[in-house]
Amino acid sequence: MGWRSVAVFLASALALAAQDFRSWARQLEARGVRVSAGIWDAGTGKVLERHQDDLALVPASTTKVVSTYALLKTLKPDFTLETEVWGDLQDGVVRGDLTFKGDGDPLLTSERVWLLVQSLRKLGVQRITGGIRLDQSAFDAQKEPQGWENTTADTLPTVLALSVNFNRDEAGKLVPDPERQSREVIQRLLQEAGIAVEGRGAASEPPRKLLGWASPPLRAMVLDINKWSNNFMIEMLVRKYGAGSWPRGVKRIQEFYRTAFNLGPEVIQITDGSGLSKENRLSARTLAIILRGAYHDFEVGPEFVSSLKVIGGEPWKLKKKDANLTRRVRVKTGHLDRVISLAGYLQTLDGQARVFAIVLNGPCGDDDVWDQVSRWAN
């Protein structure tokens, strides 16, 4: 085949692909689905296909692309939070209460509290004359961010500065009194370690900081957030990012994108970090700009890209039964009632890297997005 024939063949193939993309978008719109979608070359940023890519729609959990990259870039991957333990320790006895001051660590699980208790034992703590007190002052009193009025009641537990086990019970259900659960878990682990909690007696001296317990690094937390789409963890971090305030945390994210990407708040329209709010609005183009920026960010890009789900990789099965997609798609998914979204990276059969985003609002399903991703990848 001569070069002219090759050129004609490639032109025909591209035209057919473009026709398929347009048909896909039009068929969705004919069903009452609003579409914002596109695919770009990861290296040059050249748009390859797009449809209403500037249309801002409800993005669901692809909002986490926006929030987690901003956190990684500004706080850095090694950032940690510190839960503090305060008390009046004298000769192995904490006189009065033992106070645990929260800092927004979203991974304060029973296993990590157990390790914290072992560190208290190494300090010589043998007995506590008072009880267990929780200091939640690092966060303000706001119960939930703007836009959660229409979310399901069991979507997210109470977000407190000190929260143990995601404020859920052993069956994964929300607990009505998360502070009580946290105190009970801490007290039980102390007693199992041989540290008596007597529940009486006052401190004779002002309490002092006995221990600082660091969270896992931010890179590990972001990995859990994006792999598992953990709403609780990202909202804990957004509150911490705003010095205890959801509105300040969201505003700080928006300010980051205004400064770093020239994307103003009229483009980064978010009221939370998780995507639970149906007041959030993002376009496919906005998501793609951020994804491509992260892809070329030597400082934190590898941590961000590796936090996305690997289709056909650990521990997720293929949404679309297409073996050709295995380990060729890295993606953040989003699901709400009448909302399906995907945003991430794919590798074509000839090895080219692409950035893509699809946001659908209306009567849609997973096949509607994965059919198009399969066409792009294959």
Side-chain angles (χ1 to χ4, degrees), residues 10-277:
L10 290 175
S12 299
L14 289 172
L16 181 61
Q19 182 178 352
D20 288 342
F21 176 70
R22 287 193 295 271
S23 297
W24 168 80
R26 288 170 180 167
Q27 288 171 7
L28 285 170
E29 289 176 332
R31 286 165 36 195
V33 180
R34 302 181 75 194
V35 180
S36 181
I39 185 167
W40 293 260
D41 181 80
T44 65
K46 179 183 177 181
V47 62
L48 303 176
E49 291 183 334
R50 63 183 172 190
H51 180 84
Q52 297 274 67
D53 61 314
D54 277 330
L55 178 62
L57 299 174
V58 181
S61 279
T62 50
T63 303
K64 294 181 179 74
V65 167
V66 176
S67 53
T68 55
Y69 178 67
L71 290 171
L72 277 170
K73 188 62 177 176
T74 54
L75 299 179
K76 308 308 177 188
D78 291 335
F79 171 81
T80 59
L81 304 115
E82 184 179 77
T83 301
E84 298 179 356
V85 184
W86 289 70
D88 172 22
L89 179 60
Q90 300 180 31
D91 300 321
V93 178
V94 175
R95 303 187 186 278
D97 294 339
L98 187 66
T99 298
F100 290 76
K101 182 176 182 180
D103 191 36
D105 180 352
L107 279 176
L108 198 60
T109 59
S110 292
E111 293 79 7
R112 293 189 57 248
V113 174
W114 183 88
L115 292 171
L116 186 158
V117 167
Q118 302 311 305
S119 294
L120 288 172
R121 285 190 64 192
K122 290 179 181 179
L123 284 177
V125 177
Q126 301 171 18
R127 183 163 57 95
I128 302 161
T129 65
I132 304 303
R133 192 170 75 85
L134 306 183
D135 183 341
Q136 304 283 13
S137 62
F139 286 0
D140 64 22
Q142 186 174 353
K143 297 298 184 182
E144 60 184 40
Q146 178 183 337
W148 282 7
E149 296 81 5
N150 297 321
T151 60
T152 56
D154 64 347
T155 299
L156 191 77
T158 304
V159 176
L160 300 171
L162 192 142
S163 299
V164 174
N165 292 333
F166 310 101
N167 290 336
R168 295 182 181 271
D169 63 20
E170 292 182 355
K173 296 182 179 180
L174 303 184
V175 294
D177 188 346
E179 289 198 90
R180 178 179 177 180
Q181 172 179 269
S182 296
R183 281 194 300 271
E184 289 177 348
V185 169
I186 292 169
Q187 182 163 325
R188 174 176 57 82
L189 292 171
L190 285 165
Q191 292 174 331
E192 288 178 358
I195 300 174
V197 182
E198 298 175 349
R200 59 179 178 78
S204 56
E205 298 290 340
R208 59 185 176 85
K209 181 179 174 181
L210 304 179
L211 184 68
W213 187 253
S215 71
L218 180 60
R219 62 177 179 272
M221 293 189 281
V222 166
L223 186 143
D224 278 351
I225 289 166
N226 284 336
K227 294 279 191 193
W228 300 102
S229 205
N230 192 302
N231 299 320
F232 175 78
M233 289 182 66
I234 189 58
E235 298 301 352
M236 286 279 278
L237 292 177
V238 169
R239 292 198 78 174
K240 172 62 180 178
Y241 197 54
S245 161
W246 259 306
R248 284 199 301 265
V250 169
K251 186 175 181 180
R252 190 177 174 191
I253 291 171
Q254 291 174 317
E255 181 61 23
F256 165 74
Y257 285 106
R258 186 191 67 79
T259 302
F261 286 80
N262 197 29
L263 297 173
E266 73 284 356
V267 176
I268 307 293
Q269 300 179 51
I270 59 172
T271 65
D272 68 8
S274 63
L276 285 175
S277 171

